[in-house]
Amino acid sequence: MKINIVTVSNESYSKFLRVWLSSFYDVMDLSNINKVYIANTGFSKETRNFISCFPKTEIVETGIKSSFSKLHDEEWGKSNYCKLPIIKNVLSKDKIPTFFIDVDCLFNYDFYESLD
């Protein structure tokens, strides 16, 4: 069974996103992945171009343009609170297991076989 992966990022977290995507595509077996959805809460054109280099990725437009100046500020909240509606939309659309993984994570191994 294929799965979806969802994350949220903006330009303030683009360094994390680069590591997240690179590590994900280094270790995961893409035959188990349907889509990698990345919710855009304020990307630059350069970041969009970087994302487009990875297969099975899809940018989800949120209409939010945030940048963080400190943890838990209003801009952080806008990005953070859009997670559940995006996950709900992906689940409703694709009807397959979907996992949200924060963009400040790193993939060390293919976790697919650990899923029950």
Side-chain angles (χ1 to χ4, degrees):
M1 169 182 25
K2 292 191 178 218
I3 62 171
N4 286 327
I5 306 295
V6 178
T7 198
V8 173
S9 186
N10 65 9
E11 197 58 35
S12 298
Y13 270 58
S14 65
K15 289 180 183 178
F16 290 109
L17 178 62
R18 289 172 184 273
V19 171
W20 190 96
L21 279 168
S22 297
S23 67
F24 181 85
Y25 282 90
D26 279 348
V27 301
M28 295 298 290
D29 179 355
L30 294 185
S31 67
N32 297 320
I33 306 301
N34 178 54
K35 285 273 190 193
V36 176
Y37 292 99
I38 303 171
N40 173 15
T41 59
F43 291 142
S44 68
K45 186 173 183 169
E46 180 183 327
T47 297
R48 284 177 173 279
N49 290 339
F50 178 78
I51 293 167
S52 71
C53 295
F54 292 91
K56 300 187 177 193
T57 57
E58 184 175 317
I59 295 175
V60 178
E61 297 301 337
T62 65
I64 298 169
K65 303 287 185 235
S66 66
S67 63
F68 309 147
S69 59
K70 63 181 182 175
L71 186 61
H72 299 145
D73 67 6
E74 184 178 343
E75 296 295 306
W76 175 88
K78 288 178 188 176
S79 289
N80 208 32
Y81 301 138
C82 77
K83 292 175 182 178
L84 284 177
I86 290 165
I87 294 166
K88 180 183 176 189
N89 289 342
V90 168
L91 283 167
S92 297
K93 180 174 76 89
D94 293 347
K95 296 179 178 25
I96 62 172
T98 299
F99 297 86
F100 182 89
I101 302 173
D102 276 319
V103 75
D104 57 358
C105 293
L106 173 72
F107 297 91
N108 291 318
Y109 65 93
D110 187 340
F111 63 86
Y112 185 84
E113 296 303 322
S114 302
L115 301 175
D116 185 357

